[in-house]
Amino acid sequence: MTDQRKVMSGTNRTAPADEGQATMQSQEKPKQIMTIEQELIRKLFPKLLYNWTQGEMNMKSRLDVTKAAPGAYKAMLGLEHYLAQSSIERPLRELVKMRVSQINGCAYCLDMHSKDARAGGETEQRLYLLNAWREAPFYSDRERAALVWAEALTLVHETHVPDEVYEETRKHFSEAELMDLTLLVTSINSWNRIAIAFRSVPGTYKPAQQTVAV
């Protein structure tokens, strides 16, 4: 009798615990597996939100490039002076500078060259659609060839400037013009990297002259 009570007592003691554990397990939700991107967002978002609320995400210039290395800055301006007198017409120069700056995500240069383009008579429509120029009918064959060349050079680590791009561009540019176009793309890529690296603040640039865009 004693043994029977022990067995029954043991059963009564363990059954509720087992039943409760089974209930809890049945109520547990399967764990959601996060991607690496989701995990990074989960970890970084609180800090990013805090920085934003504290004003730490406001862009501040890291240094004055004109004073840090005046000789280098002067040399860069010398190339700009050459390009201003080169075989590449001003409206096309501004389109190329805008497109390269879009690819590189340079806010300062986009601000500058959108203003310069408007001052030179460029239309709002062509500026707005420049990022989708292949699907827009507002650009000449020469401009399209220049934009293809500019994109291939800017993304040279991906494209290595394929032969078909070269052949297409050569239909619209002489050898001298193609060299000028290449220097133009090289120059604006350099300015993009300087402006991004040292956090040049957009918004303050004013073009030498302004005209009302049509």
Side-chain angles (χ1 to χ4, degrees), residues 180-191:
D180 286 345
L181 179 61
T182 301
L183 286 175
L184 173 64
V185 176
T186 302
S187 175
I188 186 57
N189 268 288
S190 296
W191 285 119

Side-chain angles (χ1 to χ4, degrees), residues 64-132:
D64 186 340
V65 298
T66 65
K67 297 178 180 178
Y73 185 73
K74 184 177 180 180
M76 290 287 292
L77 291 181
L79 178 56
E80 286 300 314
H81 179 73
Y82 169 80
L83 292 171
Q85 310 299 322
S86 71
S87 60
I88 308 302
E89 57 272 25
R90 178 181 174 180
L92 181 53
R93 290 201 308 269
E94 297 303 332
L95 285 181
V96 168
K97 290 178 180 180
M98 281 285 295
R99 183 67 192 113
V100 172
S101 298
Q102 286 177 337
I103 294 172
N104 289 326
C106 182
Y108 183 86
C109 293
L110 284 169
D111 177 68
M112 171 185 284
H113 296 297
S114 62
K115 291 174 179 176
D116 280 344
R118 291 187 184 97
E122 187 56 83
T123 66
E124 298 290 318
Q125 187 179 48
R126 278 166 43 99
L127 289 178
Y128 294 153
L129 295 179
L130 185 58
N131 194 43

Side-chain angles (χ1 to χ4, degrees), residues 27-193:
Q27 292 177 349
E28 286 182 356
K29 295 181 180 179
K31 292 182 179 180
Q32 182 179 4
I33 300 176
M34 290 188 176
T35 65
I36 295 176
E37 292 81 3
Q38 289 172 330
E39 183 66 18
L40 286 174
I41 291 173
R42 184 185 68 81
K43 291 180 178 179
L44 294 178
F45 181 75
K47 180 173 178 58
L48 292 174
L49 181 60
Y50 173 80
N51 289 343
W52 180 75
T53 57
Q54 296 298 313
E56 293 178 10
M57 293 187 70
N58 293 333
M59 182 174 287
K60 297 179 181 178
S61 179
R62 290 174 171 171
L63 57 80
D64 186 340
V65 298
T66 65
K67 297 178 180 178
Y73 185 73
K74 184 177 180 180
M76 290 287 292
L77 291 181
L79 178 56
E80 286 300 314
H81 179 73
Y82 169 80
L83 292 171
Q85 310 299 322
S86 71
S87 60
I88 308 302
E89 57 272 25
R90 178 181 174 180
L92 181 53
R93 290 201 308 269
E94 297 303 332
L95 285 181
V96 168
K97 290 178 180 180
M98 281 285 295
R99 183 67 192 113
V100 172
S101 298
Q102 286 177 337
I103 294 172
N104 289 326
C106 182
Y108 183 86
C109 293
L110 284 169
D111 177 68
M112 171 185 284
H113 296 297
S114 62
K115 291 174 179 176
D116 280 344
R118 291 187 184 97
E122 187 56 83
T123 66
E124 298 290 318
Q125 187 179 48
R126 278 166 43 99
L127 289 178
Y128 294 153
L129 295 179
L130 185 58
N131 194 43
W133 62 267
R134 287 178 175 82
E135 289 75 39
F138 312 120
Y139 308 96
S140 68
D141 290 341
R142 178 177 168 88
E143 289 170 338
R144 292 175 181 277
L147 292 171
V148 168
W149 188 254
E151 291 180 350
L153 262 65
T154 300
L155 301 173
V156 67
H157 68 290
E158 297 178 1
T159 70
H160 289 271
V161 192
D163 290 340
E164 54 268 27
V165 171
Y166 173 76
E167 295 300 332
E168 179 60 29
T169 307
R170 281 287 286 119
K171 294 178 183 178
H172 305 280
F173 292 86
S174 66
E175 290 185 352
E177 288 176 328
L178 189 57
M179 186 60 189
D180 286 345
L181 179 61
T182 301
L183 286 175
L184 173 64
V185 176
T186 302
S187 175
I188 186 57
N189 268 288
S190 296
W191 285 119
N192 286 170
R193 282 152 178 77

